[in-house]
Amino acid sequence: MKAPSFTLVQLRYFAAAAELGSMTAAARELVVSQSAVSTAVAQLEKELGVQLLLRHHARGLALTPAGRAFYSELRGFLAHSQELADSATNAGRELVGTLTVGCFDTLAPFWLPHLVARYAEHHPAVSVEALEAQHAALKQGLQSGRCEVALMYAYELDEDFETTRVGSAPPYLLLPPGHRFAHRTQVHLAELAEDPVVMLELPDTSTYFHSLFKEVGVEPRVRHRTAGYETVRSMVAAGHGYAVLNQRPAHSHTYGGGSLVTVTLADNFPALDVVAVRMKQARLTRKAEAFVQICRDVGVLLTDGANLAEAEGV
């Protein structure tokens, strides 16, 4: 079979056009003429013998099915081509360059500072940039190649994604200090059936929390819904209800100075797995593989209940 003779420039120009959905936008991003992008894509399609992009006069570009499959494979190839160049330039030396990682909103304050610090300790020539977002945006970021790997909870992930478990986060109760169960070490969720709930209402977390109530046959009396993790804590401290959360801060105070009590759930609900997620078809660069390993190392500390401050020094 004849080896393809497309060029790396053609591949990069196609990737930019596919990602931005416009020859004009791709040319602007690449600082070349629009005709250069159009010609490169046309030559690539001719060499491959397949149409990769559909040109719509008013609506820009759209990937054909063949184009989507090709682009999915191409993202990893381009990442490794850059890593190959870095390896040649820095043969025998440390990892270099930029690594963009994703992190779920509510995990970020607990994990990112320690992950970035540990990464910098071991690979100081790599600049780690973080995309903090909810699950849908992180999955889109992985699919588009905006980030190579993302730290997320292990739910709502289809077969296109591959996961590496790096930690866990069991659900627990958050109560105001004056609550009748504040002195207890364990409480069954059903014992709070008549109490008002302050619900962390994010697109994915809401489904998870409602599943816990369903499992014990309780219809939660939701008094307040909020997308803010710290808002939930402040509302509970002010006596507006109780909450069920997964990530535990190292202290029991809110931004406003209120106090909180954490109580273990006696229902033996399974912990939520924290996972490093990648696209199944994509091969990770060495920089991303190093990040996954550091997630494992830090996850052992956080899961075992070690002091969060210790994570930076291990």
Side-chain angles (χ1 to χ4, degrees), residues 103-122:
C103 192
F104 186 53
D105 281 341
T106 59
L107 288 172
F110 299 91
W111 285 74
L112 268 183
H114 312 301
L115 293 174
V116 172
R118 186 176 177 89
Y119 202 101
E121 178 185 348
H122 290 274

Side-chain angles (χ1 to χ4, degrees), residues 104-267:
F104 186 53
D105 281 341
T106 59
L107 288 172
F110 299 91
W111 285 74
L112 268 183
H114 312 301
L115 293 174
V116 172
R118 186 176 177 89
Y119 202 101
E121 178 185 348
H122 290 274
H123 309 291
V126 177
S127 174
V128 178
E129 298 179 354
L131 167 65
E132 295 181 46
Q134 295 176 22
H135 268 222
L138 291 177
K139 289 188 287 187
Q140 185 178 21
L142 289 167
Q143 290 165 338
S144 69
R146 185 178 178 188
C147 57
E148 276 196 79
V149 61
L151 189 70
M152 306 164 65
Y153 284 122
Y155 52 61
E156 302 296 327
L157 295 170
D158 58 37
E159 61 184 12
D160 291 336
F161 299 96
E162 185 171 312
T163 64
T164 300
R165 183 182 179 278
V166 297
S168 63
Y172 67 93
L173 283 176
L174 195 63
L175 302 173
H179 194 277
R180 66 187 184 283
F181 294 148
H183 66 285
R184 298 261 296 269
T185 57
Q186 291 189 338
V187 174
H188 287 278
L189 190 56
E191 295 181 76
L192 293 158
E194 301 303 316
D195 287 48
V197 181
V198 180
M199 185 72 72
L200 180 62
E201 195 81 3
L202 296 172
D204 299 295
T205 57
S206 176
T207 301
Y208 164 73
F209 287 128
H210 279 282
S211 73
L212 301 182
F213 288 98
K214 184 177 181 180
E215 186 171 332
V216 296
V218 170
E219 183 65 33
R221 298 179 58 209
V222 181
R223 176 177 289 178
H224 297 286
R225 305 176 191 271
T226 175
Y229 174 86
E230 189 59 33
T231 305
V232 169
R233 300 180 75 248
S234 295
M235 294 292 280
V236 171
H240 296 296
Y242 72 94
V244 179
L245 294 174
N246 292 82
Q247 293 296 321
R248 295 198 190 201
H251 59 80
S252 60
H253 299 291
T254 67
Y255 285 173
S259 296
L260 294 160
V261 175
T262 59
V263 178
T264 300
L265 280 164
D267 300 284

Side-chain angles (χ1 to χ4, degrees), residues 111-126 128 290-301 310-314:
W111 285 74
L112 268 183
H114 312 301
L115 293 174
V116 172
R118 186 176 177 89
Y119 202 101
E121 178 185 348
H122 290 274
H123 309 291
V126 177
V128 178
F291 182 79
V292 173
Q293 182 57 55
I294 285 172
C295 284
R296 289 195 190 102
D297 296 342
V298 172
V300 169
L301 293 175
E310 295 178 0
E312 293 184 13
V314 296

